[in-house]
Amino acid sequence: MSNTVHHSVVDRENDYIHAGYGLKSWLLTVDHKRIAILYLISITVFFFVGGFFAFLLRLELMTPAGDIVSAETYNKLFTMHGVVMIFFFLIPSIPAVLGNFLVPLMIGAKDLAFPKLNLMSWYVYNIGGIFALYALVNGGVDTGWTFYTPYSSTYSLSNVVPVVIGAFILGFSSILTALNFIVTIHKMRAPGLTWFKLPLFIWASYATSIITVLATPVIAITLCLLLFERLMGVGIFDPALGGDPILFQHLFWFYSHPAVYIMIIPSMGVISEVVTCFARKRIFGYKFMAYAIMAIAIFGFLVWGHHMFISGQSVYAGFVFSALSFMVAIPSAIKVFNWTATLYKGHIEFRTPILYAFGFIGLFTIGGLTGLFLASLATDVHLTDTYFVVAHFHYIMVGGAVMGYLGGIHFWWPKMTGRMYNEAWAKFSALILFVGFNLTFFPQFVLGYLGMPRRYYIYPDEFQVLNVLSTAGATILGLGYIIPMVYLLWSLRKEKTVGTNPWGATGLEWTTQSPPITHNFEKTPVVTGEPYVYQEEEDKVVA
Amino acid sequence: MSSFPLLPDSASTISDQIDALFFFLVAVSVFFSLVITIALAFSAARYRKGSKASRKGALSDYLPLELAWSIIPLIIALFIFGWSAKLYLDMHVAPANAMEVYVVGKQWMWKIQHPGGNREINELHIPVGRPVKLIMTSQDVIHSFYIPAFRVKQDVLPGKYTTQWFEATKPGEYHLFCAEYCGTSHSGMIGKVIAMEPADYEKWLSGTSSAGIAMASSGAELFERFGCKTCHRQDTGLRGPALDGLWGKQVKLADGKTIVADQEYIRESILNPGAKTVAGYQQLMPTYKNQLTNEQVNQLIEYVRSLSATQDNQGNNQ
Amino acid sequence: MCIRRRRTRLSHNSDTAVGHAHHFTDMDQQREASTLGMWTFLVTEIMFFGGLFVAYALYRSMYPDAFAEASLRLNLVLGAVNTGVLICSSLTMVLAVRDAQMGKVKGLVRYLIATIVLGSAFLVIKAFEYSHKIHEHLIPGSSFQFAGPFGQQAEMFFSLYFMMTGLHAIHMIIGIGVLSVLLYQAKRGRFRAEYYSPIDVAGLYWHFVDVVWIYLFPLLYLVSRH
């Protein structure tokens, strides 16, 4: 024990957290690890803002009549919930927090290629956030996060302009981060760290960055056009002025469909790291996993039209988009099967992160399979724009992306802070989240099949029972998000007791102290072996 | 909380077919979810750390297995795609004898007009056992005409027609929802589809107060009032193309292309005459964009169609 | 565990004229990183302009006659002169990069000035064109006037014209700003044969902006001129 105390004395003086004191040392930092912490704070704020909106929505939907808020307020609530959660939480979450922290560490670099740009991206994020919050206090926006024209460009009387500007600015923050990752992963890998020795989290970050770089500018220009139409009264999308509203949908989904993969692929990376670590076994089919990530990223660009099967686009376009959407199922299935196979004949240790991974695999499987219902043309006609879609994408984004994010936070928390949280509480909250999530969203599949349209403020009586179940689930889910906040913050009060590698994981980030020093490594590491060499080590123990 | 259904009504010719595909997908999903869950639970229990189970022959790579679980899902996916694409095509191509009804969506109501002249708001009366085709447009933003019990839904766009068809199989009242978010009272843009036995439907047609002048007659009156006849009638010089017998024919345009004279074309010719000038004519016609409502345009279209009534018995002669 | 007391207080960004920034291993790595970074950035730019090109393509195919007629109202001579000006500026930029590579500071300064002057000339000519359009009531919005049957579609052409050329002009202004900073630094002797990647990277950007114009010119000015 004396050894541990000793240890912490040393760390205190020599890690990135103590590399400087005072607000200025944080606000002007160019250290990727500190920027990750800044992002962690910002996106956590937005997560709880968005979550609060969701809670009000569910409360309103307890009864078929509109009795807590007005229709207008309800519309603003679901719009702001979507805008905040998608643009300000889900898209930056894993890349900006875990990616920023881990990409250089995992590849043995001292920092990202452009540290100043990295800091700038955090400021850009917050400036975008200020626009969104300004719109919020100024009365909100009611177009839905999809900003469909001509409602958003001509008819809505709410604060479309500041929100669109906010989303536009935010895009640059994503682009800067992605550009930094691409260059860093290409040019700054440690000696010996070839592409097929990279951890899958790096593959995921790389794929995500490629998508971000290609897709985000398209939404930026689309939002510019929308602003132009709204402010100048010029017809780009409004048919009354000679424009085509379907063009907006094409441009919007050209970004927003790949954006779904920006949200989910990083989680897949996290889950790959966690599963292999706690199964104490090499990841099954490493190359297939890497290819599958890239395949999902590529197919992601070819399927945007599946959001538009009933929009009036041609039947043949529908066929093509539908067929390609089914193709996305293949690499997704590969990933799920490979994670499962990784566990087979492993030495599974039930620590907190793998509970999140189990949750992820289960919920992502359901989310992915229900995606088939929507990729399939004929069933999509009935199910699109209903609660079935709402349930489906929450299974992917909350059940998938958020579970992955929380799993990652729990996995790397000791590395980031040098502290271990209370595992009993952590396991309890993972369980609460799983139960609460399913209770919230599973009934919505049934609601959608029954025909309840989404974005409905009042609804026919026969839908009430399922809505009440969903609201009850949301309450449990909300609790599940608050508990980790408490015990994670609480852990900071404790002494630093974790060593360099508390989970016994492979990967370069576990070879430097926790928390790492400013330049990550005392000496640039040289990589000779494969990634995830758990098995040999375990077999030795057994033998 | 009067009732608590878990299955929606199924009341159109297509709805049972959609349900068959839906439940096939449910079966596929349940199967794969179970496979994954059982595999996870099995590994978790048997291979937990410290258990004595043998780990001999643990693999981290096995190509045949990888290929198997790439190719089998691919085959299943292609099968589902084929099935659903076939159904989707059926849902798109309306039978030739479909009865046509015009729908105009606006914030926040559905305005419906039957060719016989009957108008309704937020209600659509239809006979069972007969295909009904809706010709829909919107006055303002995008709406979506959704009848869950029929499993049909189609966005309704401003400045353009979209269509959908269905054939009700069971008399009854069914929900009509707007499914595309359209502003403050989006959730109030709901109504009823009332499917009736043909005899009851006939009774309803003649019994409602809105039963009156057929759409084509209203259109004929507009044709007079807006001076369309000064150019488009044989007896007045024909500075514009003749309309008799035009409906459904190929029209040769000035730029050499041809187009079928249907609702979309006639609507565009009224609202945006410069877009597709007929070969051999000068572009003289002004736009009627701000002078006609969507309903009036629909009536004019019915009038133009009625001029070809002998060739075209599209079943709008209830 | 061995205990080491060592305070790391290296400035995080000690990129001097000769040394590479601390987080790179050598000059080569740093140069390759900045070049790849710029290429990646240019990819985002292509996608950014791409959205506008898609909108242009769609509406031109929807309203071919109106676009042809509206295009006639653009000043072909000024457009062609500007194309020439920009191509010359790309040439001077290439020469600037070459002199930077060879460590010829004087030549570098001279060619940077030439590039900045040509870029500014482009913007001045563009400003003339814009002011003509204002006089002719061709600015989209409430004051827009266009005789003939194609008023609304012509307005759409001019909306796209102003967005595309305006966005291009903004890129030009940013480019001139960047080159001015580099010019100042070049005069202070920041660049030499071993370290010139800012010039190189700025050159990539400048050529990209140039290439965008090479597409804009025929698309906007030459629609109806066969």
Side-chain angles (χ1 to χ4, degrees):
Chain A
M1 221 38 219
S2 64
N3 192 14
T4 322
V5 175
H6 215 53
H7 201 134
S8 69
V9 173
V10 179
D11 282 351
R12 178 150 298 168
E13 304 209 328
N14 204 18
D15 64 46
Y16 78 98
I17 296 174
H18 297 90
Y21 298 91
L23 200 57
K24 203 176 139 193
S25 78
W26 282 91
L27 293 180
L28 296 179
T29 185
V30 284
D31 181 345
H32 66 99
K33 298 179 289 301
R34 287 188 150 215
I35 294 169
I37 301 295
L38 292 176
Y39 262 117
L40 177 63
I41 295 165
S42 296
I43 72 160
T44 305
V45 169
F46 277 103
F47 178 72
F48 281 100
V49 170
F52 177 67
F53 294 147
F55 186 68
L56 290 180
L57 291 171
R58 283 312 327 163
L59 219 51
E60 170 59 52
L61 291 172
M62 287 259 288
T63 59
D67 33 28
I68 292 176
V69 295
S70 69
E72 206 184 326
T73 310
Y74 179 85
N75 294 344
K76 287 174 176 171
L77 283 173
F78 75 66
T79 303
M80 293 307 292
H81 168 67
V83 168
V84 166
M85 284 304 202
I86 287 174
F87 292 114
F88 292 91
F89 174 72
L90 283 167
I91 288 178
S93 61
I94 295 184
V97 179
L98 295 174
N100 254 333
F101 197 94
L102 293 167
V103 165
L105 279 168
M106 282 183 161
I107 63 170
K110 293 192 185 111
D111 204 322
L112 288 171
F114 310 111
K116 285 183 204 157
L117 280 186
N118 197 20
L119 178 64
M120 193 170 120
S121 84
W122 181 72
Y123 279 101
V124 171
Y125 170 90
N126 284 298
I127 293 168
I130 287 167
F131 273 93
L133 291 175
Y134 164 80
L136 190 69
V137 285
N138 210 25
V141 61
D142 73 342
T143 59
W145 81 275
T146 45
F147 303 117
Y148 268 21
T149 54
Y151 184 71
S152 62
S153 63
T154 312
Y155 290 86
S156 171
L157 300 172
S158 60
N159 291 291
V160 179
V161 173
V163 173
V164 166
I165 293 176
F168 176 82
I169 293 174
L170 190 77
F172 287 96
S173 142
S174 315
I175 289 175
L176 289 176
T177 302
L179 188 152
N180 233 331
F181 285 2
I182 291 173
V183 174
T184 306
I185 294 168
H186 266 282
K187 296 295 177 193
M188 297 175 72
R189 302 189 307 274
L193 188 54
T194 53
W195 283 91
F196 285 109
K197 287 180 187 164
L198 287 173
L200 288 168
F201 181 78
I202 295 294
W203 274 102
S205 298
Y206 182 72
T208 309
S209 303
I210 299 273
I211 302 174
T212 306
V213 157
L214 290 176
T216 315
V218 177
I219 191 76
I221 195 68
T222 310
L223 295 176
C224 279
L225 287 165
L226 168 57
L227 283 181
F228 197 61
E229 173 159 310
R230 189 168 171 90
L231 295 174
M232 311 265 298
V234 166
I236 305 282
F237 302 125
D238 185 352
L241 302 167
D244 184 354
I246 299 296
L247 173 66
F248 178 85
Q249 295 181 21
H250 278 294
L251 292 173
F252 179 84
W253 289 115
F254 183 82
Y255 164 75
S256 294
H257 191 78
V260 174
Y261 299 113
I262 295 178
M263 301 174 215
I264 192 69
I265 290 177
S267 273
M268 295 173 161
V270 169
I271 297 308
S272 302
E273 301 294 320
V274 169
V275 164
T276 178
C277 173
F278 294 99
R280 300 277 144 206
K281 189 159 160 279
R282 282 192 200 207
I283 195 91
F284 188 88
Y286 170 86
K287 280 199 177 178
F288 262 76
M289 291 297 258
Y291 292 141
I293 286 175
M294 295 312 283
I296 292 172
I298 293 163
F299 280 127
F301 273 102
L302 307 174
V303 300
W304 77 88
H306 70 213
H307 297 265
M308 301 164 61
F309 288 156
I310 59 151
S311 73
Q313 79 178 352
S314 89
V315 179
Y316 302 101
F319 288 165
V320 173
F321 284 124
S322 168
L324 288 167
S325 303
F326 278 110
M327 295 301 110
V328 180
I330 313 309
S332 307
I334 290 174
K335 298 203 77 76
V336 170
F337 288 131
N338 281 15
W339 288 320
T340 311
T342 304
L343 292 165
Y344 180 69
K345 294 195 175 177
H347 301 262
I348 302 163
E349 193 182 357
F350 292 96
R351 307 298 293 270
T352 309
I354 203 171
L355 296 189
Y356 280 95
F358 278 130
F360 174 97
I361 296 171
L363 299 179
F364 176 76
T365 302
I366 296 174
L369 287 165
T370 50
L372 296 178
F373 291 66
L374 299 167
S376 143
L377 289 153
T379 41
D380 179 76
V381 170
H382 175 54
L383 297 171
T384 190
D385 284 327
T386 69
Y387 265 85
F388 192 93
V389 173
V390 176
H392 160 69
F393 71 69
H394 280 90
Y395 265 82
I396 298 287
M397 290 179 193
V398 184
V402 179
M403 279 283 182
Y405 170 69
L406 286 177
I409 291 283
H410 283 90
F411 187 47
W412 284 293
W413 187 260
K415 179 54 62 185
M416 295 168 85
T417 64
R419 269 87 165 180
M420 185 55 87
Y421 43 84
N422 181 323
E423 282 227 287
W425 276 105
K427 288 175 180 174
F428 174 66
S429 82
L431 186 71
I432 288 276
L433 278 175
F434 187 78
V435 172
F437 177 86
N438 282 301
L439 188 55
T440 309
F441 292 105
F442 201 84
Q444 298 185 2
F445 282 123
V446 184
L447 274 174
Y449 178 56
L450 288 175
M452 178 169 166
R454 63 193 288 205
R455 296 171 171 182
Y456 260 34
Y457 161 66
I458 46 178
Y459 56 83
D461 290 345
E462 70 254 35
F463 299 141
Q464 187 175 9
V465 174
L466 291 164
N467 270 298
V468 169
L469 282 179
S470 181
T471 301
T475 315
I476 299 173
L477 189 61
L479 190 67
Y481 288 125
I482 290 169
I483 300 172
M485 274 294 284
V486 177
Y487 65 73
L488 286 176
L489 286 175
W490 189 260
S491 75
L492 296 177
R493 294 179 73 253
K494 293 194 284 191
E495 282 290 313
K496 267 178 274 192
T497 52
V498 301
T500 301
N501 190 0
W503 309 118
T506 64
L508 292 176
E509 78 272 27
W510 301 107
T511 62
T512 186
Q513 67 172 48
S514 316
I517 55 170
T518 298
H519 295 111
N520 294 350
F521 301 96
E522 297 282 353
K523 227 171 65 193
T524 301
V526 176
V527 180
T528 49
E530 305 277 305
Y532 311 119
V533 278
Y534 286 105
Q535 207 144 1
E536 289 78 354
E537 188 194 313
E538 278 309 313
D539 289 348
K540 252 180 270 161
V541 177
V542 174
Chain B
M1 268 195 232
S2 48
S3 59
F4 177 35
L6 284 173
L7 296 173
D9 271 331
S10 171
S12 76
T13 49
I14 198 82
S15 57
D16 285 344
Q17 299 180 54
I18 302 279
D19 282 358
L21 176 55
F22 181 88
F23 285 109
F24 176 75
L25 281 160
V26 170
V28 169
S29 301
V30 169
F31 173 75
F32 279 103
S33 302
L34 281 180
V35 166
I36 297 293
T37 310
I38 291 168
L40 284 179
F42 171 79
S43 291
R46 187 171 164 85
Y47 299 111
R48 66 190 182 280
K49 192 174 187 173
S51 79
K52 298 231 157 42
S54 159
R55 270 81 167 175
K56 249 197 202 127
L59 294 168
S60 65
D61 227 340
Y62 186 51
L63 192 62
L65 204 53
E66 300 266 20
L67 289 177
W69 60 46
S70 308
I71 292 167
I72 292 170
L74 180 68
I75 292 168
I76 297 172
L78 286 176
F79 173 72
I80 299 169
F81 167 73
W83 184 350
S84 75
K86 163 82 178 57
L87 266 180
Y88 185 67
L89 199 59
D90 291 345
M91 291 165 77
H92 259 266
V93 184
N97 64 342
M99 154 189 147
E100 296 190 353
V101 177
Y102 285 88
V103 175
V104 176
K106 61 172 285 200
Q107 289 177 323
W108 290 277
M109 61 175 76
W110 296 107
K111 295 162 85 175
I112 287 154
Q113 189 167 20
H114 298 254
N118 310 57
R119 293 164 189 266
E120 351 180 28
I121 286 180
N122 291 344
E123 283 191 359
L124 170 62
H125 287 78
I126 48 161
V128 297
R130 179 157 180 205
V132 176
K133 180 181 177 187
L134 303 180
I135 297 158
M136 310 184 290
T137 189
S138 162
Q139 198 117 309
D140 35 50
V141 301
I142 301 174
H143 303 282
S144 193
F145 198 93
Y146 177 32
I147 311 166
F150 297 170
R151 311 285 186 274
V152 293
K153 185 189 288 134
Q154 172 63 50
D155 280 4
V156 177
L157 304 171
K160 199 173 158 29
Y161 284 114
T162 52
T163 61
Q164 65 178 344
W165 79 274
F166 46 79
E167 183 182 327
T169 52
K170 275 197 312 205
E173 282 189 16
Y174 306 106
H175 284 301
L176 159 61
F177 293 129
C178 175
E180 186 69 71
Y181 175 68
C182 60
T184 311
S185 297
H186 168 56
S187 56
M189 195 167 164
I190 59 177
K192 280 186 290 196
V193 174
I194 299 139
M196 311 166 100
E197 293 295 349
D200 296 336
Y201 176 71
E202 290 303 328
K203 221 182 284 168
W204 174 82
L205 269 185
S206 51
T208 52
S209 55
S210 68
I213 314 151
M215 283 181 79
S217 317
S218 310
E221 193 212 313
L222 292 168
F223 196 76
E224 294 274 331
R225 180 153 33 116
F226 284 90
C228 313
K229 59 168 186 169
T230 50
C231 299
H232 286 292
R233 280 267 279 277
Q234 211 84 45
D235 49 1
T236 55
L238 268 187
R239 267 171 291 175
L243 304 178
D244 300 294
L246 171 71
W247 186 263
K249 291 272 167 61
Q250 296 273 333
V251 177
K252 202 164 176 346
L253 302 178
D255 60 4
K257 293 175 194 153
T258 56
I259 191 164
V260 176
D262 57 3
Q263 277 103 348
E264 192 73 63
Y265 169 70
I266 291 172
R267 175 193 172 85
E268 189 177 27
S269 300
I270 297 171
L271 301 181
N272 186 12
K276 295 187 176 78
T277 314
V278 179
Y281 291 90
Q282 259 190 299
Q283 191 351 73
L284 298 169
M285 181 168 158
T287 173
Y288 287 82
K289 197 170 215 158
N290 301 318
Q291 300 176 45
L292 294 167
T293 64
N294 278 303
E295 285 87 346
Q296 289 174 321
V297 173
N298 290 342
Q299 287 161 0
L300 279 167
I301 290 169
E302 278 302 301
Y303 170 65
V304 172
R305 185 216 290 259
S306 72
L307 296 176
S308 317
T310 43
Q311 289 98 324
D312 169 66
N313 279 320
Q314 285 247 342
N316 291 304
N317 38 1
Q318 313 85 359
Chain C
M1 257 295 167
C2 90
I3 301 161
R4 241 175 300 165
R5 288 187 174 272
R6 190 172 68 85
R7 276 171 192 273
T8 324
R9 281 284 187 274
L10 274 176
S11 154
H12 215 269
N13 256 292
S14 53
D15 53 333
T16 55
V18 272
H20 54 85
H22 82 94
H23 59 289
F24 290 113
T25 45
D26 53 38
M27 287 303 286
D28 280 347
Q29 191 189 34
Q30 178 170 356
R31 197 182 55 244
E32 284 172 19
S34 45
T35 309
L36 180 62
M38 181 47 83
W39 278 110
T40 312
F41 175 70
L42 294 182
V43 168
T44 72
E45 289 277 35
I46 290 170
M47 298 306 290
F48 191 61
F49 277 97
L52 278 177
F53 281 103
V54 168
Y56 175 88
L58 176 77
Y59 291 122
R60 180 167 160 186
S61 72
M62 269 168 76
Y63 310 125
D65 300 339
F67 269 47
E69 208 171 303
S71 161
L72 287 174
R73 301 285 290 271
L74 298 181
N75 190 322
L76 183 60
V77 176
L78 291 184
V81 169
N82 251 350
T83 309
V85 168
L86 263 196
I87 290 173
C88 289
S89 81
S90 257
L91 175 67
T92 55
M93 190 70 229
V94 172
L95 294 169
V97 173
R98 194 198 57 164
D99 279 2
Q101 266 171 339
M102 301 195 306
K104 292 185 188 163
V105 177
K106 248 191 193 165
L108 169 64
V109 167
R110 195 167 55 224
Y111 287 123
L112 279 180
I113 291 173
T115 311
I116 291 169
V117 168
L118 287 167
S120 308
F122 175 92
L123 287 174
V124 170
I125 294 172
K126 202 78 219 147
F128 271 112
E129 278 193 79
Y130 278 7
S131 71
H132 282 301
K133 298 288 165 294
I134 295 172
H135 287 304
E136 295 173 33
H137 296 287
L138 292 175
I139 305 291
S142 49
S143 66
F144 186 84
Q145 285 170 22
F146 193 89
F150 297 124
Q152 197 173 61
Q153 290 102 307
E155 189 173 0
M156 188 172 287
F157 174 85
F158 280 102
S159 302
L160 289 166
Y161 166 79
F162 279 108
M163 284 202 73
M164 293 166 107
T165 57
L167 194 62
H168 178 259
I170 291 170
H171 279 82
M172 293 286 298
I173 293 168
I174 292 169
I176 290 172
V178 169
L179 291 184
S180 303
V181 172
L182 293 180
L183 173 65
Y184 172 78
Q185 291 176 337
K187 279 186 171 166
R188 309 255 318 230
R190 182 172 174 215
F191 305 112
R192 57 197 71 195
E194 305 82 51
Y195 178 70
Y196 63 92
S197 68
I199 307 278
D200 199 23
V201 166
L204 285 177
Y205 173 82
W206 190 263
H207 298 314
F208 167 78
V209 177
D210 194 0
V211 167
V212 170
W213 180 260
I214 300 294
Y215 282 93
L216 289 182
F217 177 63
L219 282 181
L220 294 169
Y221 288 77
L222 305 179
V223 175
S224 59
R225 295 166 168 108
H226 303 293

